[in-house]
Amino acid sequence: MQKKTKLNCWEVMDCGRGPDLPHKVGEKICPVAIEQRLHGVHGGRRGGRACWVVAGTMCNGEPQGVFTEKYGNCKSCKFYIQVLQEEGHNFQLSMNLLKQMKES
């Protein structure tokens, strides 16, 4: 049985702001695509499977705020829900991810 590849947010959301994706003129790479402190979390690349704890993500083409400002929206995001379901009991709580980022 082939292991399912875990996709990162920029792949699922098709935003064009991931680390290896072509960017439109004037658009910046998303902070989640360069976030090294979360590399490997939930089997993702950089911060790609824990985007909800990264400040300034470029969701829906608009920069988002810090965790406390954006988490309400993130909880209803299709990608967040997908990661939550895929990880099941291995899902890492946001407070633990924030602590990991702070300690790194």
Side-chain angles (χ1 to χ4, degrees):
M1 184 172 169
Q2 186 176 5
K3 186 177 178 180
K4 182 180 177 186
T5 302
K6 294 182 177 182
L7 298 174
N8 295 288
C9 61
W10 57 83
E11 296 164 315
V12 172
M13 303 307 284
D14 195 29
C15 66
R17 294 178 184 265
D20 303 322
L21 302 173
H23 304 284
K24 295 177 185 172
V25 174
E27 287 187 347
K28 296 179 182 177
I29 191 168
C30 184
V32 80
I34 57 173
E35 177 54 66
Q36 294 296 331
R37 297 171 293 180
L38 297 171
H39 187 74
V41 169
H42 301 132
R45 186 169 164 218
R46 302 180 183 175
R49 286 184 60 87
C51 49
W52 50 93
V53 297
V54 178
T57 54
M58 297 299 294
C59 304
N60 299 317
E62 296 292 324
Q64 305 299 301
V66 296
F67 174 77
T68 55
E69 297 170 338
K70 69 180 204 158
Y71 187 62
N73 291 331
C74 294
K75 290 191 309 185
S76 62
C77 171
K78 73 175 186 176
F79 180 71
Y80 177 87
I81 294 167
Q82 177 181 323
V83 173
L84 183 62
Q85 291 172 342
E86 289 174 353
E87 296 305 314
H89 68 278
N90 293 320
F91 184 80
Q92 294 188 41
L93 298 175
S94 298
M95 71 176 188
N96 293 337
L97 296 175
L98 289 165
K99 183 179 178 183
Q100 177 179 330
M101 290 176 66
K102 185 177 180 181
E103 292 174 352
S104 295

